[in-house]
């Protein structure tokens, strides 16, 4: 990989490119971690695999984290990065990809762009995204019993630190309450042992009703962000991501 670093509004932004750019796609990858934790080696391995297999450039903004920073300071620089790329590149070739909190950020950034009359990305790839951070759905409590990783109370605390004073039904925190009709063609990957999966299913239903071309890969028995782990189910998930984005290239 060719890796370069620059700064945008005092945050580092990495550009990852394979030796040969075979694709016109430009992926912006937004890492997960509940807005509290740094990017990990699991993220970088996925980013490198996507760059290599798709022959695509991947931009990775390393956003500020809570609790030292909150919603405006976390989102502001990333919004700048995304807006610059959407204005400069063909927006239909831009992909917002993110896992967990990064999936949340991808959807919110698209909604922000639409609200401001800016171009929106051509595609979303969302891995175990957080889409309703009110965490009020009673179905979550049944799935929580099966989830070895995430908990409802921990999720509420993360949102309190990330967005103090904001209503959890604000679409900038919970995009399920926003205008879903503005979303592009979307692939969502979720697992049935992920406490966020019931709200993901509802989000998909609402998005389809709003006219969005959206595909849900709901993997039985899988946990939060399982596509980042090296195991057969994860490899199938990554194959689907690559196929989904290759279909995009062929369609264009």
């Amino acid at each position: 990989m060719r890796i370069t670093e620059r700064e945008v509004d005092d945050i580092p932004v990495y550009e990852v490119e394979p030796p040969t750019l075979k694709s016109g796609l430009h992926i912006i990858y937004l890492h997960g971690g509940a807005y509290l934790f740094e990017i990990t080696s699991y993220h970088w391995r996925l980013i490198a695999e996507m760059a290599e297999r798709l022959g695509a450039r991947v931009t990775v903004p390393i956003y500020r984290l809570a609790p030292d920073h909150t919603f405006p300071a976390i989102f502001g620089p990333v919004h700048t990065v995304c807006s610059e790329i959407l204005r400069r590149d063909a927006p239909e070739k831009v992909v917002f990809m993110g896992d967990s909190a990064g999936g949340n950020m991808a959807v919110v950034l698209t909604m922000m762009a639409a609200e401001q009359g800016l171009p929106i990305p051509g595609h979303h790839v969302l891995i175990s995204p957080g889409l309703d951070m009110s965490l009020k759905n009673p179905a979550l409590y049944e799935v929580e019993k099966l989830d070895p990783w995430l908990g409802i109370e921990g999720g509420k605390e993360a949102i309190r630190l990330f967005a103090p004073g904001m209503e959890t039904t604000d679409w900038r925190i919970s995009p399920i309450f926003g205008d879903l009709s503005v979303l592009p063609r979307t692939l969502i990957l979720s697992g049935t042992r992920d406490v966020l999966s019931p709200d993901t299913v509802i989000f998909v239903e609402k998005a389809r009703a709003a006219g969005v071309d959206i595909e849900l890969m709901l993997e039985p028995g899988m946990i939060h962000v399982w596509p980042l782990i090296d195991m057969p189910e994860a490899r199938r998930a990554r194959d689907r991501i690559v196929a989904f984005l290759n279909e995009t290239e062929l369609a264009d």
Side-chain angles (χ1 to χ4, degrees), residues 28-88:
I28 301 174
Y29 194 90
L30 305 163
H31 75 85
Y35 292 115
L36 293 167
F37 301 105
E38 294 283 359
I39 193 168
T40 70
S41 59
Y42 293 96
H43 296 110
W44 286 118
R45 282 195 287 269
L46 176 63
I47 288 162
E49 181 176 337
M50 292 297 107
E52 181 179 39
R53 293 180 66 182
L54 291 162
R57 175 183 294 108
V58 185
T59 296
V60 188
I62 307 299
Y63 54 82
R64 302 181 183 113
L65 298 173
D68 293 335
H69 304 279
T70 57
F71 174 84
I74 292 171
F75 264 71
V78 184
H79 179 60
T80 299
V81 171
C82 294
S83 299
E84 288 175 353
I85 291 171
L86 288 167
R87 288 190 179 104
R88 184 190 68 214

Side-chain angles (χ1 to χ4, degrees), residues 7 29-30 79 98-99 130 201 219 238:
E7 280 198 358
Y29 194 90
L30 305 163
H79 179 60
D99 68 281
V201 172
E219 189 75 7
R238 297 196 297 271

Side-chain angles (χ1 to χ4, degrees), residues 49-202:
E49 181 176 337
M50 292 297 107
E52 181 179 39
R53 293 180 66 182
L54 291 162
R57 175 183 294 108
V58 185
T59 296
V60 188
I62 307 299
Y63 54 82
R64 302 181 183 113
L65 298 173
D68 293 335
H69 304 279
T70 57
F71 174 84
I74 292 171
F75 264 71
V78 184
H79 179 60
T80 299
V81 171
C82 294
S83 299
E84 288 175 353
I85 291 171
L86 288 167
R87 288 190 179 104
R88 184 190 68 214
D89 295 358
E92 65 273 13
K93 295 289 189 177
V94 176
V95 181
F96 284 5
M97 182 184 301
D99 68 281
S100 194
N104 171 285
M105 181 178 271
V107 179
V108 172
L109 286 167
T110 294
M111 290 178 169
M112 286 179 168
E115 184 182 57
Q116 294 166 10
L118 299 173
I120 64 168
H123 299 81
H124 281 169
V125 176
L126 312 175
I127 301 169
S128 303
L131 301 166
D132 181 356
M133 293 295 92
S134 70
L135 300 176
K136 292 179 179 177
N137 182 352
L140 304 186
Y141 290 89
E142 290 304 310
V143 180
E144 185 184 33
K145 297 173 185 176
L146 307 173
D147 191 326
W149 192 351
L150 300 185
I152 293 170
E153 292 308 311
K156 289 179 178 178
E157 178 65 8
I159 293 301
R160 186 189 70 79
L161 294 171
F162 160 61
M166 295 178 69
E167 292 293 332
T168 57
T169 52
D170 188 318
W171 64 264
R172 295 171 297 172
I173 298 173
S174 298
I176 197 169
F177 299 110
D179 180 6
L180 304 189
S181 70
V182 305
L183 301 183
R185 183 167 179 254
T186 298
L187 170 65
I188 299 185
L189 303 100
S190 187
T192 59
R193 293 182 65 189
D194 180 352
V195 73
L196 301 179
S197 63
D199 288 332
T200 299
V201 172
I202 294 171

Side-chain angles (χ1 to χ4, degrees), residues 12-23:
V13 178
Y14 291 91
E15 304 290 348
V16 179
E17 295 183 3
T20 302
L21 285 172
K22 298 177 293 185
S23 163

